[in-house]
Amino acid sequence: MSCRPWSPRCRAAVVVPLLVVGCVDAGHQSVATVLGGDATRGAQAIGTYGCGSCHMIPGINGATGTAAPPLTSFASRTSVAGEVSNTPPQLVAWIMNPQAIEPGTAMPNLGVRAADARDIAAYLYTLR
Ligand code: HEC
């Protein structure tokens, strides 16, 4: 690179590649960032609320339930319970109150707090 340090031309050569890397990176970790959820805390919350007694959930100790659909590859699903499209707000809403989305569903309301639901959703979106 033949430019004086901090001349505008020189800065452009340095800054532009940094911006591109930043954008690619943001796209990569989209869900956890958008939700403000934390996947590590989500994994713990899944254990606390006992989701694994009904669901098979990869990466969660003892989550081998068979009463409900497995939550494998959840990030690649198009819908939540076949009812609503699989977006972060709708997944959080389902986790907090599935009966509101599908009245009569066999998934009970477990009284999941909003912050816990965001963390759990962040974890489920790590399952690709
Ligand atoms: C008592 C059993 C039970 C427990 C406990 C339970 N679920 Fe469910 N869950 C179900 C059933 C049954 C369905 C299928 C609902 C339907 O399609 O009507 C379901 C559906 C789901 C779905 C949608 C799955 C799909 O295929 O689209 C998600 C996501 C989910 N549960 C997350 C959770 C989370 C997170 C927890 C813990 C906070 C949890 N569940 C606890 C029974 C349970």
Side-chain angles (χ1 to χ4, degrees), residues 51 54-55 68-69 74 77 80-81 91 94 102 105-108 110 120:
C51 314
C54 291
H55 292 280
F74 202 81
R77 310 276 188 96
V80 179
L91 178 56
W94 173 269
E102 187 185 341
T105 175
M107 175 155 157
L110 296 167
I120 291 172

Side-chain angles (χ1 to χ4, degrees), residues 11-79:
R11 245 175 296 168
V14 173
V15 168
V16 169
L18 282 180
L19 285 178
V20 171
V21 169
C23 291
V24 171
D25 203 43
H28 211 73
Q29 44 167 283
S30 52
V31 177
T33 308
V34 169
L35 289 169
D38 181 286
T40 305
R41 282 200 310 259
Q44 285 161 1
I46 286 171
T48 307
Y49 286 103
C51 314
S53 62
C54 291
H55 292 280
M56 210 286 273
I57 310 174
I60 307 293
N61 256 342
T64 54
T66 53
L71 301 183
T72 43
S73 307
F74 202 81
S76 315
R77 310 276 188 96
T78 52
S79 83

